[in-house]
Amino acid sequence: MIRPEEFLQRRKKIFDSIEDNSVLILYAGIGKKRSEDENHPYMANRNFYYLTNIKQEGSIYVLVKYDNLYKEFLFVQPYNELKEKWTGKRLTIDEASELSKIDNVLTLDCFDSRLDLILNRKEKLYGDIVNLYLDLDKEQKIDEDKYTEDVASGLKANYPYLNVKNIYRNIMLLRMVKSKAEIEEFKEAIAKTNIGLKQIMKNLKPDLYEYQMSSLFFYTIQDYDYSDLSFPTIAASGVNATCLHYPTPTAKINNGDLMLFDLGAKNNEYCADISRTYPVNGRFNPLQAKIYRIVLGCNKMVIETVKPGITLKELNDKVIEYLANECLKAGLINDKADISKYYFHGVSHHIGLDTHDCSDRTLPLQPGNIISDEPGLYFKELGIGVRIEDDILVTEDGALNLSGNILKEIEDIEKAMQYQVFEK
């Protein structure tokens, strides 16, 4: 668990990154409407949570910087006995303060008047505020039919001297570099993911259905410690594995096929993102093994190549070259240019509070980045799709495979699956 003091240190870095005589407003947001009387499951705005440690719907964070002085406020929903009977307990003022290490915690009904005191130059309690920082990333819904861009327009109309600025990039740059505590959260998320994958290897067999395997993974991590999924599990057998984000795991699993899993468990909001490909009957046939070894070799090449200074584009270019050369040598393609038919996605993305975490993909990698390593080959005409994905920490002089304990060698997978079959 990340200590509340770390969230305070993050906010101080944001304070240092913004101009003097400024106010920053961040919103936790609300759930989006799903049907007439139901919302989609609520998830706090990731940037809001990253700075506050608060997940409660409707909360607002305000940071004021004037004459290089530091002042911050947190606004949370007031106690409401009736609502708590329906939707559960809410944070008290003291609880919110302890979680966030913010001293000035007020209820939401105080927000408008407090903000006016900050922005209104008649009072000058906080000097002459010139800049208004908001998270202007799209889809930042903060109320019914209200987004942060609407807030910007409204405040600009009432306080025309404000310069509206987007804080998104400032927070993104912080989120891209993981702390020691964040790395530990990843390790826990990956360990739970491994527990789920072991159950899949133990139970995978012909004539089951794909959804039974995805359900098994979800049940396993829920049973372990009520963990949530990083994203909806991809469980694709046979030709279905050649669809990158295969959405409907309803097919029967056939003997002799490979089955591709792309999945992950969360730990305290941090997302593991792992892919493994298993033979349904516990044995790779020669063609499957040939394709699998090429992907595995590429996966290992990426780990050896990752280091500070390289970009994700440069990494993907090396992957394309590797896969093209190996597939040509194996007789799987007739021309290196044909590789685009069988490998058609990027090899890497940043991972964090979101599976595809906020990032500037053009920036060179630096120590503390956590990225995916996910080469794949997809031969629809052969009914074979293979992807092998690990989560990689960029270190001072190279890379560390955080998911190195999850089996991926052919011999280890076959041994594990055959042993479990024998046990039955």
Side-chain angles (χ1 to χ4, degrees), residues 25 46 66 83 91 138 184 202 212 241 250 263 287 293 338 345 352 355 357 368 375 397 400-401:
I25 308 174
R46 302 289 79 189
Y66 64 103
K83 287 188 176 181
L91 293 174
K138 62 182 179 180
E184 291 305 312
K202 182 177 180 179
Q212 291 177 291
T250 56
L263 40 69
L287 179 58
R293 286 194 175 98
D338 291 339
H345 60 82
T355 307
D357 213 29
D397 56 0
L400 174 66
N401 184 4

Side-chain angles (χ1 to χ4, degrees), residues 56-67:
Q56 186 163 284
E57 190 170 11
S59 304
I60 305 173
Y61 170 70
V62 175
L63 172 64
V64 186
K65 182 175 182 177
Y66 64 103
D67 297 332

Side-chain angles (χ1 to χ4, degrees), residues 25-33 39-49 52 54-61 74-77 108 135 139-148 151:
I25 308 174
L26 287 179
Y27 295 85
I30 64 170
K32 295 185 178 182
K33 189 173 182 179
N39 283 348
H40 288 283
Y42 168 71
M43 179 183 292
N45 172 272
R46 302 289 79 189
N47 287 338
F48 177 91
Y49 170 72
T52 65
I54 300 296
K55 304 177 187 178
Q56 186 163 284
E57 190 170 11
S59 304
I60 305 173
Y61 170 70
L74 178 66
F75 298 87
V76 297
Q77 293 176 342
L108 283 168
D135 183 352
E139 295 296 321
Q140 296 301 312
K141 186 174 183 180
I142 60 174
D143 205 345
E144 289 298 331
D145 300 319
K146 189 176 183 181
Y147 297 83
T148 51
V151 173

